[in-house]
Amino acid sequence: MAFTYFFRDMQTLEMIRDYVIPELRSRRYIHIWDAGCAMGPEPYSLAIVLRENMGMIFRNVKIHATDIDNSNLFGDIIKDGIYPREMVQRIPKPIFEKYFSPADEPDHFQISDEIRRSVDFTRHNLLDMKPIRSGLNLVLCKNVLLHFTEAERIEVMQMFHDSLDGGYFATEQTQKMPAELQDHFEPVVANAQLYRKLNN
């Protein structure tokens, strides 16, 4: 089973906070695709950052979390939002106390209803090359593309481009933009893999 933890990649979350959220505030509805979400810490970490920085506008946010989920367990885990201590122990204490409460299972904690309502999980295989929807404002895809061939990466990133409504694409630091797609996205910052869609 894919293992991760909350707030694993603070740099990406901070870039989204600083550069993406200010633009999202003007949108009536906000749709985000987290492709390769594993058991949910990544989309839930993003949801908390959005809630902390968007206030009541957060109620217009929907994060579409997807994963191939060969274990067939991710959906229930994400829906319940219950995680063991080792997955939440890196969360800053004020954030943890604000958004988590003890679960019935010992040494487990459940994320708040408000945050859970913002995330929907769907099983999805990126290599089917079918986006989950159009009109997206942000696509987050980390630690997935490295498992694909170069040709598959280009095709998947093209799919992300086509599904965005003038929005943003974020990926892991080691994943560079292929030369074939450099006229599709422009880098937002020099020190992180955050891109803005170019309408071409």
Side-chain angles (χ1 to χ4, degrees):
M1 180 182 292
F3 181 83
T4 186
Y5 51 84
F6 284 80
F7 295 92
R8 180 178 178 180
D9 182 359
M10 282 303 301
Q11 184 190 31
T12 297
L13 293 172
E14 288 167 354
M15 293 298 104
I16 291 171
R17 178 197 66 198
D18 294 344
Y19 295 97
V20 180
I21 289 178
E23 185 171 316
L24 293 185
R25 286 198 186 99
S26 65
R27 302 279 183 152
R28 184 174 180 187
Y29 298 106
I30 299 158
H31 290 278
I32 296 169
W33 182 7
D34 186 338
C37 67
M39 290 182 284
E42 183 176 87
Y44 278 139
S45 297
L46 176 59
I48 290 170
V49 170
L50 294 170
R51 177 64 181 88
E52 284 290 293
N53 291 277
M54 298 181 79
M56 294 309 297
I57 302 172
F58 178 72
R59 63 190 171 189
N60 299 328
V61 169
K62 180 59 68 176
I63 299 175
H64 307 272
T66 68
D67 201 284
I68 195 167
D69 188 16
N70 291 321
S71 68
N72 205 28
L73 295 173
F74 295 172
D76 288 340
I77 292 171
I78 292 170
K79 178 172 172 285
D80 294 338
I82 296 173
Y83 296 94
R85 181 179 298 278
E86 60 263 27
M87 292 180 70
V88 301
Q89 62 189 3
R90 294 173 176 82
I91 300 174
K93 187 176 180 182
I95 296 293
F96 178 75
E97 292 177 345
K98 186 174 181 179
Y99 293 106
F100 287 82
S101 58
D104 291 338
E105 188 176 352
D107 226 26
H108 282 64
F109 301 88
Q110 186 169 37
I111 202 162
S112 70
D113 289 347
E114 180 187 27
I115 299 299
R116 280 191 288 143
R117 282 195 299 268
S118 72
V119 176
D120 281 341
F121 174 77
T122 306
R123 289 184 70 178
H124 180 273
N125 184 353
L126 283 172
L127 295 182
D128 288 340
M129 303 301 172
K130 296 177 181 177
I132 54 160
R133 60 166 292 141
S134 60
L136 292 163
N137 306 110
L138 169 65
V139 174
L140 179 62
C141 182
K142 293 171 56 232
N143 305 309
V144 177
L145 295 173
L146 72 164
H147 299 293
F148 298 162
T149 67
E150 181 68 9
E152 289 168 342
R153 281 196 291 273
I154 292 169
E155 196 170 356
V156 169
M157 288 183 183
Q158 176 71 61
M159 175 183 63
F160 290 154
H161 175 273
D162 295 344
S163 68
L164 283 165
D165 180 17
Y168 294 83
F169 168 56
T171 188
E172 66 263 21
Q173 190 64 17
T174 57
Q175 186 61 57
K176 307 304 181 185
M177 183 62 62
E180 292 87 342
L181 297 177
Q182 287 183 1
D183 62 345
H184 287 56
F185 295 95
E186 63 177 351
V188 176
V189 289
N191 62 338
Q193 301 303 310
L194 176 65
Y195 299 90
R196 183 186 292 109
K197 174 181 175 176
L198 293 171
N199 291 307
N200 50 4

